[in-house]
DNA sequence: ATGAAAGCGCTAACAT
DNA sequence: ATGTTAGCGCTTTCAT
């Protein structure tokens, strides 16, 4: 695109009566040029509407000024929040952002990673579904920050999934629930693995029974499909892999006329906007989505700044953000049916 | 990023024992080079893992191989579907995609438009909120395709909003509803204007009363906020600006204990995935979202192909996609309360 | 059908 | 503090 005839650095140089290099310097290393001439250059540039050609600059600097972001599914509100965080951070640092959606397909990740690699300075790879080996095989050795995934020796931003599950289980245990079902997300999701682990630990610690329900797609339909199993499991509470799945559960349970939370409690994870607004609202484990995105970009940029330092044995950066159980006022979680009047003092299991 | 030392066209030339120009031709204008040498070149290229440097190519061809997409809000499922359509089409044609989200802020559109313009060959501007004048002022004269907005003399892809509303109103009229409320979307939304227009026309044609409810943000909260007004309006049916708003309505009505659709019917617009899965499901006016995105890209690419032809007085391309009322099995729409037993034969108003 | 050479717009030595 | 020069990787005349 670009206008009729975009002004080049030469035009500015001529107009300001200086050389190209002076213009270049005036624009990128201001302190190296005389304030007076700098003013002249800036004036000329503004007047001509000059904007450096990024391709030309990139050709010589080897940097594109672009970042890439790969997510499994843009239509999941969790990821759109992450996108917003990444976008904001990129914009702040004057980077443009390529965004790609893999539609939850692992193979697309590697493909996109490969395609993107040449056009960006760095990539945020969010919640990848591919196995470690495949990921490492790609050009991943470069400036790639993982989100919601940890791979040995790779920079990453994660959240404390296990602790989130701990909070959820302890909350339920305190309410007298003794049998909890977990609707698992994708087998290939690292976060899901972490959550399962956290759940098992906390279930043991609180003496709670944990029922594991198959792997379901992390979508509304997944929850719909899992609802009947959850009901049949004998659990008095269900924790869903994420809020979207939890909404699916709610929907199907409603359709079957099952009162939530009176008969069964439902918990989500992620704290997407809508979870606060359903009826009943969703008690959920909140994850700092935007902040995670920002943190990933920050890490990426510092990686780019350091450059070789990383290779020189500097430690691999990692950042783990906290999770926080959000208990809503009117919520899909209630004391266990048989405890409704007991005041919540469990005799079995401790709160550790 | 890029690998340790990316192979350049020179490397390939040397390896194949030909000149750079031959390599270049072999890769981009195959019919101009001897099949035998071409094979040699291709082999060398593959073996070296050669991938043309897009920046360098762009520097000389003036094309970036990138497209831009600007949407108001990525977290609205409507737009994420559009994004997916655009993405798919771009990928198919080997274009990369810059995506930007304006957070429903009109000023961000112009800003992003300006920033993106230099880095892409064309832009899809989806559902812009800015006034025509501001949009035209920017570099919009170039390859920009509007979506869900029509501006005189600009290429655009739209849907037949008015017809969608006609279908909705006729459906409701046939069910005996005589007073319908419309929960309006943003004042700056062109689609909203179209829908209002279509509603008024069809209301007149069917002899239905139409109550216009203020402008609300096109989000879940907007619907929540509008619900009480809708209820107080005396309407027996509410059409929401979009599905997300309709879900907000449903939520608030549920919270107030108002039976839907027994006391009041709720219709949405857009046909986002979730609208099929709520309880009750949402009868809604379906819009071909992905297809719209694909169409916009197709238009963009043909614009790029033609290049000067457009300036030479060729007609401005425009594409209008159809809308389709989707009536769900278990839905938030029912006959008007006082007609529940009447069989739906309205005495007032014709179905034209 | 192929090669040689010029140059896209810019930055980074190297001079001055 | 500024100008001169070279060259990033590629496509595209212009020769051959």
């Amino acid at each position: 695109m670009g206008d009729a005839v975009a002004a080049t650095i030469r035009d500015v140089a001529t107009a300001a009566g200086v050389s190209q290099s002076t213009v270049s310097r005036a624009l990128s290393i201001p302190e190296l040029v005389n304030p007076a001439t700098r003013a002249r250059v800036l004036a000329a540039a503004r007047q001509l509407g000059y904007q450096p050609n990024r391709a030309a600059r990139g050709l010589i600097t080897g940097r594109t000024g672009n970042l890439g972001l790969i997510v499994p599914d843009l239509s999941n509100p969790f990821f759109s929040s992450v996108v917003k965080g990444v976008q904001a951070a990129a914009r702040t640092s004057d980077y443009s952002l390529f965004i790609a959606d893999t539609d939850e397909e692992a193979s697309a990740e590697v493909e996109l990673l490969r395609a993107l690699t040449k056009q960006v300075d760095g990539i945020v790879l969010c919640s990848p579904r591919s196995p470690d080996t495949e990921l490492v095989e790609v050009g991943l050795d470069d400036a790639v920050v993982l989100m919601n995934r940890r791979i040995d020796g790779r920079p990453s931003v994660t959240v404390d999934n296990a602790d989130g599950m701990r909070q959820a289980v302890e909350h339920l245990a305190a309410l007298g629930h003794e049998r909890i079902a977990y609707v698992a997300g994708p087998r290939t999701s690292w976060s899901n693995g972490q959550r399962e682990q956290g759940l098992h630990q906390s279930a043991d610690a609180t003496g709670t029974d944990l029922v594991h329900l198959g792997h379901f797609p992390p979508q509304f339909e997944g929850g719909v499909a899992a609802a009947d199993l959850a009901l049949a499991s004998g659990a008095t509470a269900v924790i869903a892999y994420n809020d979207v799945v939890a909404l699916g559960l709610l929907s199907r349970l409603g359709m079957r006329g099952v009162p939530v939370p009176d008969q069964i409690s439902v918990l989500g994870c992620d704290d997407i906007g809508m979870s606060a607004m359903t009826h009943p609202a969703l008690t959920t484990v909140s994850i700092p989505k935007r902040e995670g995105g920002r943190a990933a970009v920050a890490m990426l940029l510092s990686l780019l700044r350091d450059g070789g330092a990383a290779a020189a044995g500097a430690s691999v950066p990692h950042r783990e953000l906290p999770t926080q159980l959000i208990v809503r006022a009117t919520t899909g979680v209630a004391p266990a049916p048989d405890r409704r009047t007991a005041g919540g003092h469990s005799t079995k299991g401790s709160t550790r």
Side-chain angles (χ1 to χ4, degrees), chain A residues 72 78-79 104 106 109 125-133 135 146-165 182 184-199 212 215-216 218 241-242 269-270 287 318-323:
Chain A
F78 175 79
F79 293 117
E104 291 281 355
E109 277 163 17
L125 182 55
C126 186
S127 307
R129 309 302 193 204
S130 309
D132 289 14
T133 49
L135 250 24
L146 295 166
M147 254 188 98
N148 305 327
R149 171 79 160 258
R150 218 139 155 29
I151 295 182
D152 211 50
R154 306 293 167 192
S156 57
V157 172
T158 58
V159 299
D160 195 342
N161 286 292
D163 187 63
M165 291 301 112
Y182 175 62
R187 198 185 308 273
T188 51
S189 154
W190 183 86
S191 300
N192 182 67
Q194 295 294 106
R195 286 171 199 171
E196 289 186 6
Q197 224 173 286
L199 283 166
H212 187 280
H215 294 272
F216 289 91
Y241 168 67
N242 69 20
C269 189
D270 283 358
I287 291 183
H318 173 63
R319 178 104 184 271
E320 180 170 76
L321 270 34
T323 52

Side-chain angles (χ1 to χ4, degrees), chain A residues 203-218:
Chain A
D204 285 354
T206 56
T208 311
D209 280 350
L210 187 66
V211 186
H212 187 280
L213 298 179
H215 294 272
F216 289 91

Side-chain angles (χ1 to χ4, degrees), chain A residues 1 14 42 65 79 96 131 167 186-187 195 203 225 231 236 252 265-266 276 282 304 328 350:
Chain A
M1 292 184 60
T14 314
L42 257 45
F79 293 117
S96 295
Q167 295 176 53
R187 198 185 308 273
R195 286 171 199 171
L231 214 48
T236 55
R252 174 66 187 161
S265 293
V266 176
L282 218 48
L304 292 175
R328 315 261 186 222
S350 73

Side-chain angles (χ1 to χ4, degrees), chain A residues 287-298:
Chain A
I287 291 183
K289 300 166 283 296
R290 276 184 156 79
E291 188 175 299
R294 276 197 296 268
V297 171

Side-chain angles (χ1 to χ4, degrees), chain A residues 16-58:
Chain A
V18 294
S19 74
Q20 294 185 36
S21 2
T22 303
V23 175
S24 175
R25 278 188 285 251
L27 264 41
S28 31
I29 334 171
E31 63 273 22
L32 244 64
V33 48
N34 186 307
T37 52
R38 191 166 92 85
R40 275 216 322 286
V41 170
L42 257 45
R46 173 163 21 255
Q47 204 232 319
L48 293 173
Y50 169 72
Q51 279 195 272
N53 179 321
R54 297 188 116 188
R57 173 181 287 173

